[in-house]
Amino acid sequence: MNDPSKPGLDDSKAPLIEHLIELRQRMLWSVAALVVAFLVSIVFADEIFGILVQPLTDAFPAGEGKLIYTKLYEAFFVEIKVAMFAAFFVAFPIISNQLWAFVAPGLYANEKKAFLPFLIATPLLFMAGASLAYYIVMPTAFRFFLGFEGQVGGLTQEALPAMGDYLSLVMQFVLAFGVCFQLPVLLLLLNSAGIVTRQQLKSMRRYMVVAAFALAAILTPPDVVSQLMLGIPLILLYEVSLAIMWLTERKKSKITSP
């Protein structure tokens, strides 16, 4: 039950059926936003795919390189996947806003104030991870992969990436880096909830280093370059999380001290 002594909680206590109706309405708005974003994205699928393919274009020597499709329907389904991928990013602000609008009335004022920074940091960190993957990791990895072109045993060894395989690789890079960059949000939420403390996380630092590179090995292609470029930022984000916890604890101690 809600504690009436705590300020800031919305006065309305709607029955369960009203909450379910509101949840359905929020979900319908989210789905509608996703559908509209998909319809817009499918019109510009070629242009969006052109942006996604730019790191590979830059990795090839000027005027060289090509994308192929080995199945007649592959190019069509690549456009569908590109549109769905873009639609998620376009519709995400609306979806997150609907989620916040559903959850916020059940929170106290201090809980809203504490939760809002995490809501803002989540898309910013995801974009930071995706940008790192797009602008630095993918061009570096693609140049490494294309370095195997040349003569082998008197035969020409040439890279002929397929459209579907390339799109899957790009999505793997973007999602892996975007999701992994949520580490500070996860750790700070666990710390705020009292599940873990800063001292516990400090004592787990050596295990975190191993876990970071193990996760990087699972989520990225099997090359050392990509794994290092994900593992090292994960360790840095872990240290940044510890620093934020230290600053938060210091601020609380100053407030509570007489």
Side-chain angles (χ1 to χ4, degrees), residues 30-247:
S30 299
V31 172
L34 195 60
V35 171
V36 171
F38 173 79
L39 294 176
V40 173
S41 299
I42 195 67
V43 176
F44 300 99
D46 286 339
E47 289 78 4
I48 298 171
F49 189 60
I51 296 173
L52 295 177
V53 84
Q54 195 61 47
L56 181 62
T57 303
D58 295 338
F60 274 109
E64 299 183 19
K66 62 177 70 174
L67 278 176
I68 65 172
Y69 58 96
T70 57
K71 304 179 184 69
L72 291 178
Y73 53 81
E74 184 175 359
F76 169 74
F77 280 107
V78 164
E79 289 199 355
I80 298 295
K81 291 179 181 179
V82 166
M84 292 177 63
F85 191 56
F88 172 77
F89 287 99
V90 173
F92 181 79
I94 298 174
I95 296 173
S96 61
N97 181 265
Q98 291 298 314
L99 177 62
W100 174 252
F102 178 74
V103 173
L107 300 177
Y108 296 104
N110 61 331
E111 292 173 335
K112 292 179 183 179
K113 186 177 179 181
F115 185 72
L116 193 58
F118 297 107
L119 189 65
I120 296 173
T122 297
L124 293 178
L125 287 171
F126 187 94
M127 291 305 299
S131 298
L132 176 65
Y134 181 84
Y135 289 106
I136 297 178
V137 179
M138 286 195 293
T140 304
F142 294 161
R143 283 193 293 268
F144 173 77
F145 295 146
L146 292 176
F148 292 96
E149 286 190 314
Q151 294 292 323
V152 178
L155 299 176
T156 301
Q157 186 168 276
E158 184 180 4
L160 293 172
M163 295 177 65
D165 293 338
Y166 175 76
L167 179 61
S168 297
L169 184 62
V170 170
M171 293 172 64
Q172 180 182 349
F173 269 118
V174 171
L175 293 176
F177 277 78
V179 171
C180 286
F181 266 55
Q182 303 303 312
L183 180 64
V185 173
L186 175 63
L187 293 179
L188 291 172
L189 279 174
L190 292 175
N191 180 253
S192 299
I195 298 176
V196 295
T197 65
R198 185 173 64 89
Q199 294 299 327
Q200 287 175 329
L201 293 175
K202 282 181 63 177
S203 65
M204 295 169 56
R205 183 179 278 126
R206 67 182 67 180
Y207 303 108
M208 176 57 196
V209 173
V210 176
F213 286 107
L215 186 63
I218 295 171
L219 297 179
T220 61
D223 66 286
V224 177
V225 176
S226 302
Q227 293 169 11
L228 287 174
M229 287 187 171
L230 180 56
I232 293 174
L234 277 176
I235 296 170
L236 294 177
L237 289 170
Y238 188 80
E239 296 298 330
V240 168
S241 303
L242 292 177
I244 294 174
M245 291 177 195
W246 178 78
L247 291 173

